[in-house]
């Protein structure tokens, strides 16, 4: 299982919602999207759209890269090691953003 986090600033919120709506109308069977999170939560330092997906068998990552409209996307596995999941095991589409690792118990 994986998480994708599509980050947006407040003036880009409609771009993120457009991605969400396209996903809701898509044929991806192993994907779930959630309402936009308009505040910083966990290690995320910008508002975001969270998407859960099982694997990339349906080409989800490539689709997201083509439809992200310039927004940064963090894709990470769910292994139980949140620090590694959000850093060494992470894939970025677009600009890599800073995360707040202190909330995950990491001070470096």
């Amino acid at each position: 299982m994986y998480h994708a986090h599509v980050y947006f600033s407040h003036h880009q919120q409609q771009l993120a919602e457009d991605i969400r709506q396209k996903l809701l109308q898509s044929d991806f069977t192993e994907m779930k999207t959630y309402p936009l999170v308009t505040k910083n939560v966990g290690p995320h330092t910008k508002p975001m759209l969270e998407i859960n997906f099982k694997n990339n068998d349906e080409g989800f990552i490539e689709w997201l890269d083509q439809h992200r409209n310039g927004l940064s996307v963090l894709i990470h596995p769910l292994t139980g090691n949140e620090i590694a999941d959000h850093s060494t095991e992470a894939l970025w589409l677009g600009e890599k953003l800073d995360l707040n690792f202190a909330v995950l118990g990491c001070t470096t």
Side-chain angles (χ1 to χ4, degrees), residues 26-95:
S26 75
D27 293 329
F28 292 115
T29 60
E30 301 290 335
M31 178 274 310
K32 181 173 181 174
T33 184
Y34 297 90
L36 300 182
V37 178
T38 58
K39 61 182 181 176
N40 301 354
V41 296
H44 310 287
T45 56
K46 288 182 84 170
M48 62 154 173
L49 163 63
E50 182 179 330
I51 308 154
N52 296 350
F53 63 104
K54 184 175 180 181
N55 55 49
N56 197 39
D57 289 352
E58 298 179 308
F60 175 75
I61 294 172
E62 292 79 10
W63 183 95
L64 191 55
D65 194 27
Q66 292 175 359
H67 293 86
R68 64 186 176 84
N69 294 321
L71 299 178
S72 293
V73 179
L74 167 65
I75 298 171
H76 67 83
L78 298 173
T79 68
N81 182 338
E82 289 196 54
I83 294 169
D85 289 351
H86 288 83
S87 60
T88 58
E89 301 301 316
L91 167 69
W92 284 91
L93 304 177
E95 179 185 356

Side-chain angles (χ1 to χ4, degrees), residues 83 101-108:
I83 294 169
F101 286 103
V103 300
L104 300 178
C106 180
T107 57
T108 57

